[in-house]
Amino acid sequence: MRLSTFHLATVKEVPADAEIVSHQLMLRAGMIRKLAAGLYTWSPLGLRVLRKVEGIVRDEMNRAGAIEVLMPAVQPRDLWDETGRWEKFGGQLLKIKDRKDAEYCFGPTHEEVITDFARAELHSYKQLPLNFYQIQTKFRDEIRPRFGVMRAREFLMKDSYSFHLSAECLEREYWNMYETYGRIFTRLGLQFRAVQADAGAIGGNVTHEFHVLADSGEDAIAFSDGSDYAANVEKAEALAPTQTRPAAVATLERVATPTQKTIDDVSAFLAVAPEACVKTILVRGFDGLVALCVRGDHEVNEIKAGKLAELAGESTLADETEIVKALGCKPGFIGPVGLPTSIPVIVDRSAAVLADFVCGGNQDGTHYRGANWERDAQITRVADLRKVVDGDLSPDGQGVIRIARGIEVGHVFQLGQKYAEAMKASVVDQGGKSQPMSMGCYGIGVSRIVAAAIEQNFDAAGIIWPEPMAPWRVALCLINPRNDANVAAVADALYAELGARGIEVVLDDRGLRPGGMFADMELIGIPHRVVISERGVAAGTFEYRARRESESRQLSRDEVLALFA
Ligand code: ATP
Ligand code: MG
């Protein structure tokens, strides 16, 4: 590509509304332009990178035996009614009507459409297993679209769906996809981690997320420093402490804490560590209020809480009015001592081994000191309720938990028969019996990967593409061609030679000053830069610099070509 005939539109100023590096650099490099909240145009430069990612994803999916399809973006409501997701999917689902008033949505995902396709196409176990994939535009009406294409409303996803007669066959394909995702992110040159995840609303049992590690990541990942264990913090189990509960020593005493409502305030005021306090929150269960107790320095994990039988997915915090009505005190003073017996008390494993602890007094302006389980406060049940923290023991017994930030770029699920049952997608088995198919689904955020890669690879000058994602591998910078016709001729010849060898090369023949040209090539992250100048041509050399290096080297033409052999 000759830049003089391309549309490169870099920008000097850091855009005011871009909070994270990748968003800033994608705007400055002119890769994307915002149309409206969460909607972006990919410029010619941005599209080159997006297509690179897409290409690697497609290549590895094909290699793994998946077959490409392309489904419509717009999907009729009746399919979504069959699975109950027209209502359940919530505000992210963009609902639209056609001129006949028929209802549709713009697809946020394609389980319904592919299951409809499968039930029409697949009738016998002999046709299975199959894995269909597409690379296609999704729309999710995100509450807070932000960070550019990282959390957009319209984005490009690779989604695939596999169909099986048995759970065992599904599991085999699941691990095939798991391995394939590993190969994709490795080929893209990204540092990533596969983590155990929570299945959430989409259903199914086994699921992993693939995260690109970056400080700006929206998700927290718990991983062991002594093994392969890694899980989303929502999922990571907090083991029971190894020590047992010490005997009660102190007597129960109500103390005045007139304005101290938070654990930090109370622990400072009473001079006890947060670890020696019990924090109690009241949530609404499906059958009345439920008290959840964790140690003062821990946080309730809402996903874990939602799974308690008493809550069954409902874990909304009780509001002040409800709390005052039930206990006669405000939220900052709730504790497990003397709660009405109608309120079950679920205690986290770590809080359950405390003795002589501080907790709320269920009376405004008071807390208890010297409280003890059983003697003063009843435990309905001990459960794993809290978020893991740095330093916890790893659930697999090896090493200690560390917390890192991650960007979710991929997700694999074993859905089982949930969708096939709801939509009656069955095949006949070997015995001639009709059976709902088992399904897996596997997503990759193709457009998000572009932003995630930048979060991992940048410096003060701009983006540093991993080579497989770069818009071009090599930039030839042509300096002052007007002074010496030879310079342009040498550049043209090198450009042609690299092109003939299948190397993606861009020739910067825009006639800019060297400073502006170098700044642009660094900003847009081209991995290799070769400068062609009058002096170099006279000496028979080229000035070469790798994007990650700070020094240039003088190379002969053969040495330049050898770099890309
Ligand atoms: P998130 O938790 O980030 O909202 P998700 O779990 O809802 O994502 P999935 O349904 O698993 O997303 O979709 C598959 C992949 O699509 C995700 O792993 C992610 O990489 C990508 N993706 C999801 N939502 C967005 C979005 N709003 N913008 C860009 N990519 C997205
Ligand atoms: Mg996900």
Side-chain angles (χ1 to χ4, degrees), residues 209 408 410-411 413:
E209 292 168 355
E408 185 194 319
H411 204 162
F413 278 103

Side-chain angles (χ1 to χ4, degrees), residues 77-85 116 119 422-424:
R77 169 178 179 159
D78 52 2
L79 286 185
W80 286 72
D81 279 333
E82 288 188 49
T83 59
R85 291 211 296 178
D116 180 61
R119 70 181 165 188
M423 296 184 63
K424 303 195 171 49

Side-chain angles (χ1 to χ4, degrees), residues 34-112:
K34 181 171 168 178
L35 175 64
L39 304 179
Y40 290 87
T41 295
W42 289 80
S43 75
L45 179 74
L47 189 62
R48 287 186 73 92
V49 179
L50 187 67
R51 292 284 184 244
K52 289 279 165 64
V53 177
E54 203 182 311
I56 290 176
V57 170
R58 179 175 281 111
D59 194 46
E60 291 296 336
M61 288 303 290
N62 290 341
R63 192 182 305 233
I67 350 176
E68 190 165 7
V69 294
L70 183 59
M71 292 178 262
V74 174
Q75 311 180 7
R77 169 178 179 159
D78 52 2
L79 286 185
W80 286 72
D81 279 333
E82 288 188 49
T83 59
R85 291 211 296 178
W86 184 259
E87 301 302 338
K88 247 190 271 158
F89 208 88
Q92 285 203 344
L93 194 62
L94 178 67
K95 298 174 174 175
I96 44 188
K97 279 186 183 170
D98 70 7
R99 64 173 81 203
K100 292 181 191 143
D101 251 10
E103 292 186 284
Y104 294 84
C105 65
F106 195 109
T109 177
H110 278 70
E111 282 81 10
E112 281 79 2

Side-chain angles (χ1 to χ4, degrees), residues 272-531:
V272 287
E275 295 92 292
C277 301
V278 165
K279 175 156 65 183
T280 308
I281 61 167
L282 273 195
V283 293
R284 250 176 252 154
F286 71 96
D287 188 24
L289 295 175
V290 177
L292 305 178
C293 296
V294 295
R295 225 168 65 181
D297 57 329
H298 289 151
E299 298 289 333
V300 170
N301 178 325
E302 286 162 26
I303 303 274
K304 290 179 182 175
K307 290 192 175 146
L308 295 170
E310 290 81 357
L311 300 187
E314 312 282 329
S315 69
T316 347
L317 279 178
D319 62 26
E320 188 164 330
T321 329
E322 282 170 291
I323 294 171
V324 171
K325 187 164 163 243
L327 307 181
C329 73
K330 295 226 170 74
F333 302 101
I334 310 172
V337 178
L339 280 178
T341 50
S342 61
I343 300 182
V345 183
I346 319 283
V347 182
D348 180 66
R349 291 163 170 174
S350 299
V353 298
L354 292 181
D356 301 338
F357 54 84
V358 166
C359 62
N362 291 328
Q363 192 182 336
D364 282 344
T366 73
H367 276 75
Y368 282 114
R369 243 189 221 284
N372 281 280
W373 297 117
E374 325 273 348
R375 190 190 73 180
D376 312 314
Q378 295 316 305
I379 295 185
T380 310
R381 202 145 47 82
V382 175
D384 174 19
L385 268 191
R386 68 175 175 94
K387 286 188 186 148
V388 289
V389 293
D390 199 273
D392 277 343
L393 291 177
S394 176
D396 67 354
Q398 292 170 279
V400 162
I401 291 284
R402 299 286 169 227
I403 308 285
R405 308 294 308 174
I407 301 166
E408 185 194 319
V409 288
H411 204 162
V412 293
F413 278 103
Q414 290 184 33
L415 295 171
Q417 296 176 316
K418 182 179 151 142
Y419 288 88
E421 269 169 4
M423 296 184 63
K424 303 195 171 49
S426 300
V427 292
V428 291
D429 64 14
Q430 293 92 329
K433 226 176 95 223
S434 179
Q435 271 204 41
M437 289 181 273
S438 288
M439 286 173 63
C441 78
Y442 321 93
I444 287 188
V446 175
S447 45
R448 181 181 282 181
I449 285 174
V450 176
I454 298 174
E455 291 295 327
Q456 264 186 4
N457 300 281
F458 68 92
D459 64 10
I463 302 166
I464 309 178
W465 290 115
E467 258 182 69
M469 294 178 66
W472 297 280
R473 274 181 80 193
V474 198
L476 303 184
C477 295
L478 180 52
I479 294 183
N480 286 334
R482 274 184 216 93
N483 294 354
D484 181 352
N486 237 343
V487 177
V490 169
D492 281 345
L494 185 60
Y495 175 72
E497 176 70 38
L498 286 167
R501 294 176 182 223
I503 311 296
E504 286 188 298
V505 50
V506 63
L507 174 62
D508 194 346
D509 56 351
R510 293 174 298 167
L512 297 191
R513 292 170 176 282
M517 190 156 37
F518 297 165
D520 271 357
M521 292 306 109
E522 285 176 7
L523 175 59
I524 70 171
I526 308 303
H528 306 277
R529 181 180 85 196
V530 177
V531 180

Side-chain angles (χ1 to χ4, degrees), residues 148-301:
V149 297
M150 188 81 88
R151 184 166 296 286
R153 293 199 295 169
E154 193 176 299
F155 58 96
L156 193 62
M157 195 199 286
K158 186 287 295 175
D159 47 328
S160 45
Y161 308 87
S162 67
F163 295 88
H164 311 267
L165 184 63
S166 67
E168 296 72 50
C169 182
L170 163 60
E171 196 176 332
R172 270 198 302 280
E173 182 60 10
Y174 179 84
W175 291 111
N176 178 31
M177 282 295 110
Y178 181 98
E179 300 291 330
T180 301
Y181 277 31
R183 275 198 299 278
I184 289 170
F185 298 122
T186 303
R187 250 181 89 177
L188 287 166
L190 301 174
Q191 273 176 282
F192 69 96
R193 192 107 198 202
V195 309
Q196 297 174 20
D198 187 78
I202 197 166
N205 319 313
V206 184
T207 168
H208 286 84
E209 292 168 355
F210 286 77
H211 285 261
V212 159
L213 303 177
D215 292 339
S216 62
E218 287 187 286
D219 293 304
I221 298 168
F223 66 95
S224 166
D225 66 3
S227 74
D228 281 346
Y229 177 84
N232 194 310
V233 277
E234 290 168 350
K235 163 89 179 178
E237 182 184 1
L239 290 183
T242 43
Q243 74 272 25
T244 49
R245 185 161 73 219
V249 175
T251 43
L252 183 68
E253 172 195 8
R254 191 187 285 279
V255 288
T257 50
T259 57
Q260 289 71 29
K261 295 182 186 169
T262 67
I263 289 289
D264 283 348
D265 292 346
V266 172
S267 88
F269 186 70
L270 299 178
V272 287
E275 295 92 292
C277 301
V278 165
K279 175 156 65 183
T280 308
I281 61 167
L282 273 195
V283 293
R284 250 176 252 154
F286 71 96
D287 188 24
L289 295 175
V290 177
L292 305 178
C293 296
V294 295
R295 225 168 65 181
D297 57 329
H298 289 151
E299 298 289 333
V300 170
N301 178 325

